[in-house]
Amino acid sequence: MQPAARGGGAGGVGATPRTSTRTSLFSMPRFDFCLTPREHVNAVRSNPTLGLCGAPLCSGIHQESELSIVRIPRCDIPRCGQCAVSGDLDLADSLELSLVPEPMAVGSTALQKNLQTAKVVVREVFAELEARCIEEKNQYEESSTVPPRHKLNLWGTYTSKARLQRFAADSIEFVKQNAECRTRLLTTAQLRFLILLQHFIAEDTSDFYRPETQRKHQDSFEGILTDGVNSQLVKDAHRSEFSVEGQSFSLELPQDLDGELHEEQRQTIEKFQTEFVMALETYLLAYCNRRGLSPLGTRRMAQAVTTQMSQAGLANLDRGSQATRYFVGSHGLDQRTAYNLSTMQTPEHGECLKLSILCMKTGFCQYLEKDELLRMPGVDCPKRCKPASYLYQYATLRFMPGPPIDNCESTICTLLDALDEAHIDPAGF
């Protein structure tokens, strides 16, 4: 069995890289059963400012004022990474997040209810993250194991009351400004998915602006024209499908019975990696040049974008996703991941980068429910399901330059819209 949370790609037939401009990720028949109304998908193709819900992507215009958020004191530099050693934050450890309802604007019933649900979700998810870190920290102490620096930073982040207060306030602000949250009523599971996804992509991006000794991740970077491409993206490039402003990059390799790559295949992969990375770097450099970013700001932007195009982006999709409730069988499994990078124009922010991430699993005929495994440890009885079953995840992220941090332009990553669907159709007996 394969856990649904694992990233990766599926193989196929042939071994020829495709880099034509005729293929669109949104037109791939693999994604035809997406439950988004067809007319919305067609509208997105012709208008990049629309989300898959059919509504305009969040622009910050016409924002209602529903909650008064009493924030804790914070420094003037957003997510500067220095707050971990700031003595001022100790004063905030005992503060509570205060969410005071205010009169609602006309037509904002859906948002009002979403905010009420979001307050509960926010408290739960950050309490879970705190508890998880405390448990992991105790395990290291009990085994007398010295934790790595990035683990210490992770624990420090989610066991600090001040930071948790800030995360909670930022999450509520995200819900208020997200177009999907403003326009339709969302379930608790949907809000949990959106809130966690926004939090983790924002934290990934902010991590690049912290001193290395305070970072929660240990990603490495490389490249041909730059040194800002996530190494995991380069390593796994041949396992996914990519589109860079309409130019498609994908590689299909024949399945070997022994599962080993032969020398000819390795050379094919290396050639594909080089072509793709150069095209990606050229595109990112051109965008950063148009926005007038400094060399360091350009590198940070490239790091932020390519990190979400790697396994890190898939991991963020999985956290809070309904798909992670299931382990699916590897027999017949077809897993496909796709990334679509383009630009979008917004009235407030000008030209921004837009990254769409899709992950789908089909073809499996067996599955296990994680909740059942937890209730009955040691019992491994796969259930059968019909071929129409699938797991589907989608997200659109926006990247844009932000206020300077230590004389370097910051990068702001915002979740615009997302879908999370787990459709398991049990087979009859």
Side-chain angles (χ1 to χ4, degrees), residues 285-302:
L285 286 172
Y287 168 76
C288 293
N289 183 60
R290 291 195 300 270
R291 292 305 304 262
L293 298 188
S294 64
L296 183 56
T298 298
R299 184 172 189 266
R300 294 287 186 251
M301 175 68 75

Side-chain angles (χ1 to χ4, degrees), residues 301-323:
M301 175 68 75
Q303 288 177 321
V305 173
T306 60
T307 293
Q308 297 309 314
M309 294 177 71
S310 71
Q311 288 285 345
L314 295 179
N316 289 335
L317 275 178
D318 280 340
R319 303 170 84 170
S321 169
Q322 294 295 300

Side-chain angles (χ1 to χ4, degrees), residues 64-286:
E64 299 92 346
S65 177
E66 289 78 23
L67 295 178
S68 174
I69 300 180
V70 181
R71 294 179 181 270
I72 62 172
R74 62 190 301 175
C75 60
D76 294 330
I77 302 177
R79 297 181 176 90
C80 66
Q82 301 294 336
C83 296
V85 295
S86 172
D88 295 339
L89 289 184
D90 294 337
L91 300 176
D93 281 354
S94 60
L95 297 182
E96 294 294 332
L97 177 66
S98 177
L99 302 174
V100 184
E102 292 184 356
M104 299 299 298
V106 177
S108 58
T109 303
L111 178 58
Q112 181 183 24
K113 292 182 178 179
N114 285 335
L115 284 167
Q116 292 172 350
T117 305
K119 288 191 291 184
V120 178
V121 171
V122 165
R123 292 190 182 100
E124 289 179 350
V125 296
F126 290 114
E128 291 172 8
L129 289 171
E130 180 183 22
R132 197 174 305 160
C133 286
I134 292 174
E135 180 182 6
E136 188 177 37
K137 182 180 179 181
N138 291 338
Q139 290 173 349
Y140 269 82
E141 292 176 350
E142 291 173 0
S143 62
S144 300
T145 304
V146 178
R149 169 56 61 180
H150 73 279
K151 280 288 185 184
L152 293 173
N153 295 336
L154 181 69
W155 299 339
T157 296
Y158 293 108
T159 56
S160 165
K161 297 300 183 183
R163 291 194 183 187
L164 293 177
Q165 303 278 344
R166 184 178 304 165
F167 292 153
D170 288 345
S171 297
I172 293 297
E173 188 68 18
F174 161 73
V175 172
K176 291 176 62 177
Q177 296 187 13
N178 182 267
E180 195 167 7
C181 295
R182 297 200 311 268
T183 55
R184 69 185 183 96
L185 188 63
L186 302 178
T187 65
T188 299
Q190 289 170 329
L191 282 168
R192 178 185 175 89
F193 178 62
L194 292 175
I195 289 169
L196 279 174
L197 183 53
Q198 170 60 37
H199 170 71
F200 288 123
I201 62 176
E203 278 298 287
D204 278 354
T205 304
S206 298
D207 219 36
F208 297 120
Y209 298 89
R210 301 185 178 106
E212 290 193 13
T213 57
Q214 296 181 14
R215 294 181 183 176
K216 300 191 292 292
H217 305 98
Q218 292 184 312
D219 292 350
S220 59
F221 297 87
E222 57 188 272
I224 300 172
L225 306 177
T226 72
D227 60 351
V229 179
N230 193 291
S231 297
Q232 194 65 48
L233 168 60
V234 178
K235 179 181 178 181
D236 296 332
H238 64 286
R239 297 190 175 98
S240 299
E241 302 169 41
F242 300 90
S243 176
V244 180
E245 200 65 61
Q247 184 179 10
S248 296
F249 296 88
S250 62
L251 180 64
E252 295 180 349
L253 294 172
Q255 293 281 359
D256 290 337
L257 296 178
D258 57 7
E260 297 292 332
L261 289 175
H262 301 297
E263 183 61 30
E264 182 179 352
Q265 292 175 320
R266 291 193 183 93
Q267 293 177 359
T268 300
I269 290 174
E270 290 177 1
K271 180 180 178 182
F272 172 77
Q273 291 171 333
T274 300
E275 292 177 354
F276 167 64
V277 170
M278 284 190 67
L280 178 60
E281 288 179 308
T282 300
Y283 185 76
L284 292 173
L285 286 172

Side-chain angles (χ1 to χ4, degrees), residues 8 64 90 93 136 168-169 279 284 324 355 367 384 388 399 419:
E64 299 92 346
D90 294 337
D93 281 354
E136 188 177 37
L284 292 173
T324 57
L355 174 64
Y367 70 100
R384 296 192 60 81
F399 295 86
L419 287 172

